[in-house]
Amino acid sequence: MSFADEANSAVPTLPSTHSGIPTFLLEKAQKAKEGIFETRTKPANERQRLPVVPLGIERDEFTKALAELRGQLGAEHVEINDKPLKDGWYMEHPNTHDMMTILDEEELVASAVVYPGSTEEVQQVVLWANKYRIPIFPISMGRNLGYGGAAPRVRGSVTVDLGRRMNQILDLNPEDYTCLVEPGVSFYALYEAIQAKGYAHMWIDTPDIGGGSVLGNTIDRGVGYTPYGDHWACHAGLEVVLPTGDVIRTGMGALPGSNTWQTFPYGFGPYSDGIFSQSNYGIVTKMGMTLMPNPGGYESFMYTFPKEEDLGPLMEIIRPLRISNILENVAQVRHVIQALAALGQPRSKFFTGSGPIPAEVVHAAATTATAVGDYTWAYYGMAYGPAHIRAHKLALVDAEFKRIPGARRVDPATLPADEYFWARDRVAAGVPDIHELRWVNWTPNGAHVAFSPVSPIRAADATALFALGKRAHDRYGIDFFPAFCVGLREMHLIVEIVFDRDDGAARRAALDCLRDMIDEAAALGYGEYRTHLVLMDQVASTYSWNDGALMKFNERLKDALDPNGILAPGRCGIWPKRYRGRGWEMTRESGHVSEGSGVEPAGL
Ligand code: ADP
């Protein structure tokens, strides 16, 4: 299919496919798709003909093992990955590889994809993997873009795509404001189900784009933008298939006949949920989630600040307001360059030179091309509750923000309907969107990868991280897109590097820039809250207090729970015994190769 044909083909919708777009966003999605294929030049992948086989098993044995699994799950639920890799786009994403690859695209690929239909079938897959010592890699939706997408860390792993057949909302409780979901329920689907039931008194919390799995995003500790933005903190209860095939329910779910699984997260005894987030200790098959009561009104607000130096004073103003909940949501401080990128146009529209786009070009373009006009920093927030309560909080915020000379409150009535402000408005009100996709068009074949350090909400930290990021980006000639997401007592700086994934030099520059930033940030006391598959070993190595005591503990847990090392080896830097000491870690020194020199033979 040509790119033009692909651009015009219909975007899949809910409920005909679990990963589809809701009808209310269809037109927007179709437009986004056209924009993406307009800038695509990357030729189709031609190279892969034979399935990749994971190290540690012979091809014949692997083929025999897959045939056995077909017998158990049904032939149609086991697919060999022997076709050319197809990137698609956000709404039609692959489950075989990372469609935003930062390495050679065949580096992190699956050998096969399997589709279990129940917890029992997940157990069967796990037992099968143990029998043949085949690495498996679970995904829920596989839209973890910027962090590795659907790709497995070990080349040739068998991807366990849970979402395709396990995508039910098992419970939606309008009295307790809770739900129980399977891996394949997206934020879009949960939102739609709540609307369909007429439960207007319940809100969901959604990330910038709503196509991810609620469960997948939560166990990877993703965030959204309502007061329920810390998804992990808002979950209650898990069902997990352990790497040996046993099934457990955490919290109150361990009590047979429990009626509080989704309302009291802890249960009795050690709180085990934590070890199943950002780990490779289990496959989560069900998760409870709390939902936010509709606050009875809301109002978005946006302030702009003229100078780069305003960042520090702004952080000092934000901290006490955020901790005391006058600023109520996970809000964002974004640089004006992002307002340009959010227009969805290529950077070449504003600048055709090489190296980072100059500041004066950004400011001039912001003046002429955006409805908000020029500034350096923007704060996007939302006040919740009835009008009189909002008025009180907004007056406090206004007085504080206006202490910065030149601070301006943007009047939303002056903004056109497709202005980025309204996307922030919807997302902060729990309405999933797709607008955020636009900035990927900044380069042809646009891909993104994130640097996400955690820091205190302080002038010194914000300016230090900004300077660190800017220096590294300048070094590699990359445009710098900083956004500070303010949590409660800390903030995440999210820097998305947008790069042409068909350009090897651009991929390499992005990766080298990230590696520099991770090391430099760690030297100053900042660590990442989440990272891309390719960077997990490096990030894990920065959490090295007391001679790497935490990783030693993680490895002991891994060896106890997964003695054959079959589940997502290497994820989050945790390598099972079979792989350790064989050069599997990806570091600056190891270059761009993801495989080590084999695994410990079975039977040892
Ligand atoms: P999303 O589409 O919500 O972004 P993914 O399905 O890509 O999420 O999952 C994000 C990451 O979390 C994956 O890379 C995978 O390693 C892990 N993961 C996802 N679902 C599960 C699950 N059900 N059990 C264990 N790990 C999972």
Side-chain angles (χ1 to χ4, degrees), residues 320-338:
L321 290 175
R322 183 71 187 100
I323 292 177
S324 56
N325 234 5
I326 298 300
L327 293 171
E328 298 167 87
N329 64 338
V330 177
Q332 293 215 16
V333 177
R334 291 165 73 104
H335 192 272
V336 66
I337 189 174
Q338 277 145 313

Side-chain angles (χ1 to χ4, degrees), residues 62-72 78 128:
F62 181 67
T63 309
K64 194 181 106 204
L66 281 179
E68 184 179 311
L69 194 61
R70 266 196 215 98
Q72 289 181 46
V78 177
W128 167 86

Side-chain angles (χ1 to χ4, degrees), residues 33 50 112 149 180 213 226 246 338 398 428 469 478 566:
K33 184 177 180 182
L50 278 174
L180 180 69
S213 148
T226 74
D246 306 308
Q338 277 145 313
D398 195 67
I478 300 172
I566 49 104

Side-chain angles (χ1 to χ4, degrees), residues 137-138 140-144 162 212-213 215 217 219 282-284 571:
F137 191 89
S140 288
M141 195 68 76
R143 285 199 176 115
N144 202 18
L162 299 152
S213 148
L215 187 157
N217 178 281
I219 60 175
I283 300 182
V284 181
R571 184 165 149 70

Side-chain angles (χ1 to χ4, degrees), residues 167-315:
N167 51 40
Q168 299 303 304
I169 300 170
L170 300 171
D171 186 42
L172 190 52
N173 188 319
E175 289 165 7
D176 296 337
Y177 296 76
T178 59
C179 62
L180 180 69
V181 292
E182 289 191 316
V185 177
S186 69
F187 294 93
Y188 290 145
L190 184 58
Y191 176 81
E192 287 285 84
I194 289 175
Q195 304 316 303
K197 289 260 187 198
Y199 292 156
H201 62 293
M202 293 199 298
W203 277 20
I204 69 161
D205 184 278
T206 172
D208 294 293
I209 312 183
S213 148
V214 177
L215 187 157
N217 178 281
T218 301
I219 60 175
D220 214 28
R221 300 204 287 267
V223 298
Y225 300 93
T226 74
Y228 277 41
D230 180 348
H231 294 165
W232 180 251
C234 292
H235 95 283
L238 301 175
E239 178 183 88
V240 188
V241 176
L242 298 177
T244 45
D246 306 308
V247 189
I248 61 168
R249 288 188 175 180
T250 66
M252 297 307 292
L255 189 129
S258 162
N259 43 27
T260 48
W261 194 16
Q262 271 63 72
T263 50
F264 183 63
Y266 306 121
F268 180 76
Y271 178 57
S272 32
D273 291 40
I275 65 166
F276 299 111
S277 83
Q278 289 195 4
S279 76
N280 48 14
Y281 298 151
I283 300 182
V284 181
T285 44
K286 293 183 181 66
M287 182 188 75
M289 194 73 185
T290 55
L291 298 165
M292 179 173 145
N294 182 334
Y298 61 89
E299 186 174 342
S300 273
F301 57 92
M302 175 183 183
Y303 282 82
T304 63
F305 305 91
K307 297 198 298 282
E308 207 162 280
E309 311 81 85
D310 294 335
L311 180 65
L314 179 58
M315 288 301 167

